[in-house]
Amino acid sequence: MTDNKQKTILSTRDVHLWYGKKEALHGIDLDFPEKGITALIGPSGSGKSTYLRAINRMHDLEDNVTVTGSFNFKGTDIYAPTTDTVDLRKRIGMVFQQPNPFPFSTYENVAFGLRLAGVKDKAVLDEAVEKALKQASVWDEVKDNLHKSALGLSGGQQQRVSVARVLATSPELLLLDEPTSALDPVSSHNIEETLLNLRDDYAMIIVTHSMSQASRISDRTAFFLSGDLVEVDDTKHIFLNPEKQETQDYVSGRFG
Ligand SMILES: Nc1ncnc2c1ncn2[C@@H]1O[C@H](COP(=O)(O)OP(=O)(O)O)[C@@H](O)[C@H]1O
Ligand SMILES: [Mg+2]
C-alpha cells in the first residue's frame, strides 16, 4: 500500500524479467496511487524502461522475454491469458521518448484510437479531439491547422499531440518513458507543465534520467539500481532524506 490515503491503481509484486537468460529485474514490489505522478529514476541500464514496458505488456511484442510476478491493475490481472492487450493499452496509455506522430493530420492523430474503437460521429470526434488537445496544453497552437500534417509541428508540439492521442481514449494510467529527453528546454518545460496540469486527474508513471525533473514534477519517486528497486517514497523524502546510502549517493550526483 502507498503511505498516503489514496487508493492503489496498480500493485506489482515480485516482478522478475529476463531477456533470454539475462535477468534484468530481480523482484520488484511497487504500488502506484490513483492520482499523481510517480517518477522512476536510476542510472542508465537500471531497468526503468524494462519495468515500465512490462506494465502494459510491451514485451509481448519481443521474442525471448520472460516476465513473472503479479500485476494487479484495479482488479485486472495484467498477465492473465484472458486479458486483451489492445484493451489494456487503451486503459494504460504510453508516451515514448521520441515524438511519434503518424503521417497524417493532427486531428487524425488524436482521433485515431477513437476511430479504431468504432466512433464515427463527427461531432463526437470533434469534441474529443478538442478536449484531448486542450488537456495536453497544445490546442491553442494547433487549432487553426488541425487538418495539416502533424509532421509539420515542432518536436515539442508533436510530443504534446502524442499525449493528446493517448488521452483521447480515456486511459486510467499513463506511462511516459523519458518524454522530454529528445526535446529542447522550452518544449521540455511545456511537457512538464502539461503533466502537472494532469496530475490531479490521472495516475502517471514517468521514467526520467533528470533528477531535477523528477523533483519538479513528481509526487513519489522510485529509485532503481541494477534491476532492483532500492527505495520508493515521497519525492521530497527521496531527495532530501533518503533511507538508503545508494539513494543518497545517486541523488547527490556521486554516480549515474
Ligand atoms: N531488448 C533487450 N534485450 C536484451 N537486453 C536488454 C533489452 N532491453 C534492455 N536490456 C538490458 O536490460 C537492462 C535494463 O535496461 P533498461 O530497462 O533499458 O534500463 P533503463 O531504462 O533504466 O536505462 C540493461 O542491462 C539493458 O542492457
Ligand atoms: Mg530507459
Side-chain angles (χ1 to χ4, degrees):
M1 291 298 289
T2 51
D3 60 8
N4 53 26
K5 291 190 188 66
Q6 280 206 55
K7 278 196 218 149
T8 298
I9 191 167
L10 171 67
S11 177
T12 69
R13 285 291 173 277
D14 199 25
V15 173
H16 292 255
L17 186 146
W18 290 262
Y19 291 110
K21 294 200 170 112
K22 186 188 159 194
E23 189 174 347
L25 298 174
H26 310 290
I28 307 290
D29 293 340
L30 197 46
D31 287 350
F32 300 90
E34 261 189 325
K35 299 286 183 307
I37 301 178
T38 303
L40 310 185
I41 64 167
S44 178
S46 56
K48 305 178 300 293
S49 298
T50 296
Y51 175 76
L52 192 78
R53 293 161 62 82
I55 293 171
N56 71 350
R57 285 180 57 173
M58 294 294 285
H59 298 290
D60 285 19
L61 311 170
E62 298 162 70
D63 289 334
N64 230 357
V65 176
T66 309
V67 187
T68 66
S70 74
F71 293 73
N72 180 338
F73 178 55
K74 293 168 104 177
T76 299
D77 172 1
I78 289 178
Y79 280 85
T82 49
T83 297
D84 175 48
T85 51
V86 174
D87 179 56
L88 179 73
R89 293 186 194 126
K90 240 183 274 160
R91 296 179 64 196
I92 305 179
M94 184 140 185
V95 175
F96 299 90
Q97 182 171 346
Q98 291 292 336
N100 56 344
F102 302 124
F104 11 98
S105 70
T106 298
Y107 182 98
E108 289 302 334
N109 264 278
V110 181
F112 187 80
L114 294 164
R115 288 204 195 275
L116 268 189
V119 180
K120 292 196 181 74
D121 187 318
K122 185 174 178 303
V124 172
L125 289 170
D126 286 356
E127 192 183 321
V129 167
E130 178 171 341
K131 182 176 170 215
L133 288 166
K134 282 182 173 162
Q135 282 183 302
S137 321
V138 70
W139 171 252
D140 289 338
E141 291 161 60
V142 300
K143 65 178 194 288
D144 298 327
N145 293 303
L146 282 181
H147 299 286
K148 288 204 182 134
S149 173
L151 300 178
L153 300 172
S154 73
Q157 290 168 333
Q158 288 183 2
Q159 193 63 310
R160 279 175 286 146
V161 169
S162 302
V163 172
R165 189 170 72 206
V166 170
L167 293 178
T169 54
S170 307
E172 295 151 64
L173 172 63
L174 287 181
L175 310 178
L176 305 111
D177 195 349
E178 304 209 18
T180 66
S181 63
L183 304 179
D184 62 83
V186 171
S187 302
S188 298
H189 173 81
N190 289 337
I191 290 280
E192 288 187 9
E193 288 295 307
T194 297
L195 301 181
L196 285 171
N197 288 334
L198 295 170
R199 85 203 253 225
D200 291 341
D201 300 316
Y202 289 92
M204 290 176 274
I205 308 175
I206 180 170
V207 169
T208 178
H209 66 255
S210 161
M211 287 186 269
S212 55
Q213 179 169 72
S215 61
R216 277 192 301 272
I217 68 171
S218 72
D219 302 288
R220 292 174 64 75
T221 295
F223 172 52
F224 280 67
L225 187 62
S226 308
D228 287 300
L229 172 68
V230 175
E231 184 168 356
V232 58
D233 211 325
D234 291 346
T235 294
K236 273 200 200 81
H237 200 89
I238 290 290
F239 283 95
L240 298 177
N241 188 22
E243 305 284 334
K244 301 276 172 65
Q245 187 62 42
E246 291 112 307
T247 313
Q248 179 62 47
D249 289 347
Y250 184 70
V251 300
S252 59
R254 249 168 264 162
F255 69 95

